[in-house]
Structures are given as C-alpha cells and as structure tokens.
Amino acid sequence: MIPAGFSAPAPDVALDALFVPFASGELRWPEDGRVLFLRARDGFRLRELARPGWLCVQGFKPFAEALQRSGLNVGEVATDERFPLVLVLPPRQRDEMRALFAQALQHVAPGGVVLACVPNAEGAKSAEGDLMRLAGPLRSVSKHKCRVFWTKPGAPVDVAVRDEWLALDAPREIAPGLVSRPGLFAWNRIDAASALLAEHLPDDLHGRVADLGAGYGYLSTQVVARCPRVTALDLYEAEARALEPARMNLAKAVADCGREIAVATHWHDVTRGLPQRYDAIVSNPPFHQGRADLPDLGRAFIGAAADALLPHGRLWLVANRHLPYEATLAERFGIVRAVTVQAGFKIIEASGVRT
C-alpha cells in the first residue's frame, strides 16, 4: 500500500551544510529576520532555524507540502521584493541553475548576501564559478561533501549577465509546435517513451481524459491530435515550472485540431489521489527522484489512476521494460494487456477497474 503523498526521503547533507557559515560565525542572520530561500527543502536544521520572516519558494508540490506541514511560510516572491539574505539550493541542470542564481541576485537587498550549497558530486565547482561570474569573488567552505559559497556583502552584480541568465528560464521551442524550459524531465527533446505511447494511443479514447505526470504536455498534445472523441483533458503535474509551457503547448494543439476541448492544468501530487473521475487516463509515470530509482512512485500513479477511473475507464501506460508494475496492475484491474514491448519500453492497457 502506497501512502498518500509518497516521495523519496530528502537527503539533508546539502541543507545541513548550507547553514555552516552561521554556526562558524562567518555569517550573521539578518537583523530584521527576513530571509528568502529558493528551492527550499524541509529538514531538521531548517525547522530549527527558520523564523516568521522567512519565505520559502519551492515549485515541486510534494516538497512544498512538506515545508507547509512543518509550519514554514511557502509562497512566491514578488517582483520588487528584496531580502538581506537569499539562500539557494541550486538544481543540477545548468541553465536552470544560472537562471536561479540570477533570480537570487535580483531579490537580494543592497548590501545583502546570496548563499548557496551544492554537493561536490553534483557540480559544486561549476556552480561556484557561475555565481562568481555574476557577483565577483566569493567566500566558501567545504562540509559534508558539499561546497558552500556566498557573495560578499554588497557585491557588484554583472547586470548584463544577470539579465541574460534570467531569460534562460523562459519557455523555448524545442520542436515544431512544442515549447519547454530547462530542468524539466526530458526538457529539450520529445521523450522516447512518451513518443512510443503516443504512437499506440487508440483513436477511440473519449470523454474526459487525464494525463498524470504530464510534464510540459507533449503526451496531452498527442491525445488532442489523435483522439477526436476526447472532450475534456486534465493535466496533472507536480513541478510548477512545467505548467506554463504545458498550457502553451495545449493551446496550440487545441487550436490546430479545430474543435472545442476543455483543457485544464493542475499543480498536483498525483500520489495523493485525483479530484475527478475519468473515462481514460494516460501516463508516463516518474520512477525516480534525483538519482534514486523509486518504482513505488510509479505504483502510486497506477493506484491513483485506478481510483479515479470510471467503471468502463481505461489506463494507457508506458514504462521502462524492467519496472515491476504488473503485480500492481493485476491487483487493481481485471484486464491487463501488453500492447507492445520495444526499445526498452513497454506499453500497457489496463481496464476493468477492481473496486
């Protein structure tokens, strides 16, 4: 049984290392208590140190909800807001990371500090070099196999580079009619597994359809293009940054198909269940967080789909060939059919939901 809101346990090493300069006395907390934390992650040290003046920004729904459950203030930062201290846990993808550093420097107050931490094995050296390119010489320490580095108070910012890097986060065309943005899953290409599922979608899918783990919306655009009897389409995606390109892609797909389809995007953790019932569900479910394989995440998607399908509903699923989903599918569906196995992937249709 997969618990609601299932997600991988978050390693705390980077979060713990981030606060080392305060423990050592090299940095002091702002007198006004205001701190902006970009890509914040819940953890013991954060809960211990955070104060009411902190604002945590986190676009991945399960992590945002974990922060909220710990009583932390989670939200978006206003364009004109400035903070004396900006904390950053940078992502691995470099364009996304550069855009995040630019955002941090956009929101730091005059005389303020931007502080970041990156595990050594995840590109700490290049990340430090990028922040240095924006804000000049940095201070740094190593701890817990991580590199912690920060700007000098009031460091002059290379505004031209900052503005150039801010633009890196904007949706960009990656294929004719498709836009995406750096850091999303398969952000700069059409994922091979999703393309395989799209090729095998039956044209008799109808009514209200959901796409679970929709990313930037490629699979949903294919539902629109290939399934003329679909009248409504809901995209569910846990990564908030995917929703803008998904909306853009779906708007074009609907315009191109020449018929009316009710389309909605939802920032949602699928493992917590779905709020509506569906005639069909399509999914290329995630099976990892970071570098850790988590087949239970895919199993949770299957469970959520089974709970949300109407009695006549059908699930169309693509997965890596090695993933052990068959037992879960057999528990939840009366009919499980392997449509094809090729190129390391398997396409499965499941129907006859077991209640």
Side-chain angles (χ1 to χ4, degrees), residues 22 28-38 49-56 73 76-87 106-115:
F22 298 98
R28 296 182 180 275
W29 296 109
E31 290 184 6
D32 66 2
R34 298 179 66 251
V35 175
L36 174 64
F37 194 170
L38 300 178
L49 294 168
R51 297 294 180 265
W54 288 41
L55 174 61
C56 296
N73 181 26
E76 295 297 319
V77 58
T79 303
D80 59 350
E81 277 190 285
R82 301 291 182 270
F83 293 79
L85 175 64
V86 180
L87 307 176
Q106 187 180 41
H107 291 293
V108 71
V113 170
V114 172
L115 170 68

Side-chain angles (χ1 to χ4, degrees), residues 4-8 10 40-42 58-69 74 237-240 267-272 286 289 297 301:
F6 174 87
S7 63
R41 292 286 297 270
D42 187 35
Q58 173 54 256
F60 186 57
K61 188 70 168 181
F63 295 167
E65 290 179 338
L67 290 163
Q68 289 172 328
R69 287 193 298 271
V74 182
E237 172 55 45
E239 178 50 64
W267 184 43
H268 186 73
D269 178 1
V270 166
T271 68
R272 290 188 172 274
Q289 284 182 354
L297 193 53
F301 269 55

Side-chain angles (χ1 to χ4, degrees), residues 45-47 61-62 80 125 133 147 170 174 209 211 240 247 252-253 282 284 350:
R45 287 292 287 155
L46 178 59
R47 294 190 295 271
K61 188 70 168 181
D80 59 350
K125 185 175 180 180
R133 183 175 169 188
R147 190 76 171 166
I174 60 163
V209 176
D211 180 357
R247 293 186 190 107
K252 184 179 188 309
V282 299
N284 178 5

Side-chain angles (χ1 to χ4, degrees), residues 273-321:
L274 304 181
Q276 297 193 56
R277 305 292 297 279
Y278 292 95
D279 299 291
I281 291 176
V282 299
S283 186
N284 178 5
F287 63 93
H288 58 82
Q289 284 182 354
R291 294 185 173 183
D293 275 6
L294 290 170
D296 277 354
L297 193 53
R299 295 188 186 106
F301 269 55
I302 293 169
D307 289 339
L309 281 168
L310 292 164
H312 63 269
R314 300 148 69 188
L315 169 64
W316 279 77
L317 176 82
V318 64
N320 285 37
R321 184 176 181 175

